[in-house]
């Protein structure tokens, strides 16, 4: 099953909302669905979800892995 391209839920420093995000390279920095960047301070549990992230569709990852055939 395909996964969203922004699978993480994070809070950014000084932020008051939770964002959908993905790692930049090997991390720890992230890009958010609403186009912010930063190093997350946590998962943002208990914070409201970012309205801009909510208004953008979270694209489905189009990459897939081919399993080796026996």
């Amino acid at each position: 099953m395909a996964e969203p391209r922004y699978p993480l839920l994070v809070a950014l420093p000084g932020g008051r909302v939770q964002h959908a995000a993905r790692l930049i390279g090997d991390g720890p920095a992230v890009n958010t669905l609403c186009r912010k960047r930063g190093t997350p301070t946590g998962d943002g549990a208990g914070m409201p979800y970012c309205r801009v992230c909510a208004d953008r569709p979270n694209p489905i990852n189009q990459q897939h892995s081919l399993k080796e055939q026996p």
Side-chain angles (χ1 to χ4, degrees):
M1 178 171 226
E3 295 182 15
R5 287 182 51 197
Y6 294 81
L8 306 173
L9 293 176
V10 301
L12 296 175
R16 296 172 292 187
V17 294
Q18 183 182 53
H19 300 276
R22 65 179 175 180
L23 290 175
I24 299 172
D26 291 331
V30 296
N31 279 332
T32 67
L33 189 54
C34 63
R35 301 190 177 152
K36 292 184 176 152
R37 304 177 80 138
T39 302
T41 57
D43 64 3
M47 292 181 166
Y49 192 67
C50 171
R51 282 187 280 178
V52 179
C53 287
D55 289 343
R56 291 178 188 240
N58 195 343
I60 299 297
N61 190 352
Q62 297 299 311
Q63 296 177 345
H64 64 282
S65 62
L66 296 174
K67 294 183 179 181
E68 292 183 27
Q69 299 295 324

